[in-house]
Amino acid sequence: MSPRDRALPDEPDESGAASGPAGARPGAHPSAGLSDLSIDLTAHEMLRRAHVLEALGPDWDPVAALRDEEAAHDLLYSGLDAEQRRMYDELVAAGVLPRRGGGHAAA
């Protein structure tokens, strides 16, 4: 830009316009124009929980649901042959499957 082509008072200076983010000073740290942002999601989480409980309905029984889940787990791992039982025990020992009862699959 030549001295005759100076920017008008209300126009941005082209020499600094492409140098970085808006509001950044030359030589300033890249995060100098940033500010902290915090969002409280407590109200949203309470609303989400209310919607989940509403979707489950008034007949939902968490104790019965847990009991049914344990029965399904027992059925899933019952009747394993020796090789499958060995693999199950290895997975429990490695922490891949949770330890239940004696830590062995039902025979």
Side-chain angles (χ1 to χ4, degrees):
M1 173 190 272
S2 71
R4 288 179 286 164
D5 297 328
R6 292 188 185 181
L8 297 175
D10 292 338
E11 294 179 350
D13 182 15
E14 291 179 7
S15 64
S19 64
R25 295 183 315 268
H29 190 270
S31 65
L34 301 178
S35 61
D36 288 339
L37 174 68
S38 65
I39 300 173
D40 185 7
L41 296 175
T42 305
H44 177 73
E45 178 62 16
M46 296 291 285
L47 182 62
R48 186 194 68 79
R49 288 181 184 188
H51 285 292
V52 167
L53 290 175
E54 182 181 346
L56 290 171
D59 298 332
W60 180 64
D61 182 6
V63 175
L66 182 58
R67 191 173 34 247
D68 291 345
E69 186 176 324
E70 289 178 354
H73 183 275
D74 292 341
L75 183 60
L76 178 65
Y77 293 108
S78 66
L80 301 179
D81 62 26
E83 177 62 22
Q84 291 169 330
R85 199 169 310 117
R86 184 192 63 74
M87 180 59 67
Y88 175 87
D89 291 341
E90 284 182 20
L91 291 172
V92 169
V96 175
L97 293 175
R99 184 171 303 280
R100 295 173 42 97
H104 297 287

